[in-house]
Amino acid sequence: MEIRKTTNSSPPSQAMEFLEAKEIQVGIAVAIVAVVATAAYLYTSKKSKGSIDPENFKEFKLVKRTQLSHNVAKFRFELPTPTSVLGLPIGQHISCRGKDSQGEEVIKPYTPTTLDTDVGYFELVIKMYPLGRMSHYFRELREGDYMSVRGPKGRFKYQPGEVRAFGMLAGGSGITPMFQVARAILENPKDNTQVHLIYANVTYDDILLKEELEGLEAKYPGRFQVYYVLNQPPEEWTGGVGFVSKEMIQAHCPAPAPDIKILRCGPPPMNKAMAAHLDALGYSAEMQFQF
C-alpha cells in the first residue's frame, strides 16, 4: 500500500513573498510612528520654548487696542506665528520697555491676562495713571506700534494641586497676576483647587476685569468666589466698604492650614497692611506669598 504525505505549506516563492510583504508593512508602520513621534516632539518643543527671552528684549506688534474706561485699556500683541505661545509660567510676569514723557527709558513688570492656551497673541490690561512714567508710554501706543518685552520673570511657581485652596488679596492693578493664576487653575480639568479672592479698589469704576471675574464665578460656582471692597462705594453697594480688614479675611479666605496659601498683590501700603493682618490671624510665612 502506498502512503502519501500531504502538507499545507505554500510553495517557497509564495512564502518568501508573504514574509517580504509583512516586513514592508512593519517597516512602514515603524516609519510612520517615528515620523509622528518626531513631529510631536518638535511641536511640543517649539511650543514649550515660547516667544520671549529672559535675557534679551524682543519686539511685539500691537494689533488691537480696546479702551475699557477713561484710563484703562486692553492691549493685544501679536506673537511670531498664529500657533506661537508667549511661554510664561503661571503666576510669572514680563518686563515691558518704553519711554516716558521726557523720552527717558522706563522698564516695568506686567502680568498678561492671557495664558499659553491662548495661541498667537498675548494681552495686557493696563491702568494708565496721570503721572505714571510707563502710563505715558501706553497712552501713546497705537495699533501697528511695537513694544519691547523680556521675560519670564518672577519667583512664583505653581504646580496644579499643590494646595487645597488659595486666598487672594488684590488691590487695583494687582488683580492681573491673581486673574492669571485663577484662570489657569479653573480651566484645568485636573485641578480641583479652590480660589477665594478679595479685590479692593477706591471706586466702582476702578474695578478691573470685572466682567471676566464674574464670568469665572458663573462658570465655576463653588470653586471661585470674589468679594469686592470699595473705599468709596456707590449707593446700594452690597460688598465690603473701606479697607480690607482682618474680619474680611477671616470671612472670605481659607483658614490657616498647611495645605492653603494666601497670595497678595497691590500698592505697597496695602501689601504691608495685609501682611500684618495675616500674621495676626496665624498665617505662617510659608502660607503667604507676595507678588
Side-chain angles (χ1 to χ4, degrees):
M1 181 172 66
E2 184 179 359
I3 299 175
R4 296 182 180 180
K5 280 188 175 181
T6 60
T7 176
N8 292 325
S9 306
S10 301
S13 60
Q14 291 182 2
M16 288 298 294
E17 289 175 2
F18 175 78
L19 290 174
E20 288 174 358
K22 293 297 286 184
E23 288 177 356
I24 291 172
Q25 290 175 354
V26 171
I28 291 173
V30 170
I32 290 172
V33 170
V35 169
V36 171
T38 302
Y41 172 78
L42 291 173
Y43 173 75
T44 53
S45 297
K46 183 179 180 181
K47 184 176 180 181
S48 61
K49 184 179 179 182
S51 304
I52 48 178
D53 188 318
E55 303 298 330
N56 303 297
F57 280 98
K58 298 178 72 173
E59 300 285 316
F60 296 93
K61 183 180 180 181
L62 177 65
V63 292
K64 187 175 182 181
R65 173 181 174 138
T66 306
Q67 202 70 27
L68 303 179
S69 71
H70 72 285
N71 64 348
V72 177
K74 180 165 64 177
F75 298 82
R76 174 175 289 200
F77 295 90
E78 185 179 63
L79 294 177
T81 74
T83 57
S84 295
V85 297
L86 186 61
L88 190 68
I90 298 170
Q92 297 200 8
H93 59 267
I94 56 177
S95 296
C96 299
R97 183 174 65 185
K99 291 186 177 181
D100 64 12
S101 59
Q102 304 302 313
E104 296 182 2
E105 182 178 279
V106 186
I107 298 174
K108 190 173 178 180
Y110 291 97
T111 304
T113 55
T114 44
L115 303 172
D116 278 356
T117 51
D118 303 303
V119 297
Y121 69 94
F122 71 95
E123 291 182 341
L124 298 173
V125 173
I126 305 294
K127 185 171 184 177
M128 291 159 280
Y129 298 92
L131 300 179
R133 297 179 65 201
M134 198 67 179
S135 293
H136 168 81
Y137 171 77
F138 277 106
R139 269 196 301 270
E140 299 297 316
L141 202 60
R142 297 293 180 265
E143 293 178 3
D145 292 343
Y146 286 80
M147 182 176 70
S148 300
V149 173
R150 182 174 63 191
K153 304 286 184 181
R155 299 176 292 112
F156 186 80
K157 294 181 180 179
Y158 178 67
Q159 294 297 325
E162 70 177 52
V163 294
R164 171 175 52 84
F166 276 114
M168 297 179 171
L169 306 174
S173 56
I175 188 61
T176 52
M178 307 298 189
F179 178 77
Q180 184 204 59
V181 172
R183 191 183 153 201
I185 290 170
L186 297 168
E187 292 180 2
N188 183 352
K190 297 181 180 180
D191 196 337
N192 296 316
T193 306
Q194 293 191 335
V195 182
H196 308 263
L197 169 65
I198 297 177
Y199 183 24
N201 284 281
V202 178
T203 69
Y204 184 87
D205 291 337
D206 292 324
I207 300 174
L208 302 180
L209 299 169
K210 192 170 190 299
E211 184 177 336
E212 290 84 350
L213 292 170
E214 290 176 347
L216 291 179
E217 270 194 303
K219 191 172 182 179
Y220 304 99
R223 290 193 58 208
F224 180 64
Q225 296 88 34
V226 186
Y227 182 68
Y228 298 97
V229 180
L230 296 179
N231 192 251
Q232 299 172 17
E235 292 183 11
E236 300 181 0
W237 173 251
T238 58
V241 177
F243 298 106
V244 177
S245 65
K246 287 189 291 185
E247 292 74 21
M248 292 177 187
I249 295 172
Q250 283 180 308
H252 300 282
C253 284
D259 59 352
I260 68 95
K261 185 163 285 189
I262 307 294
L263 311 178
R264 58 179 186 267
C265 187
M270 179 183 176
N271 284 333
K272 184 177 180 180
M274 294 307 100
H277 288 341
L278 293 171
D279 290 342
L281 290 169
Y283 294 91
S284 67
E286 292 74 26
M287 298 175 197
Q288 304 180 42
F289 182 87
Q290 179 176 308
F291 285 103

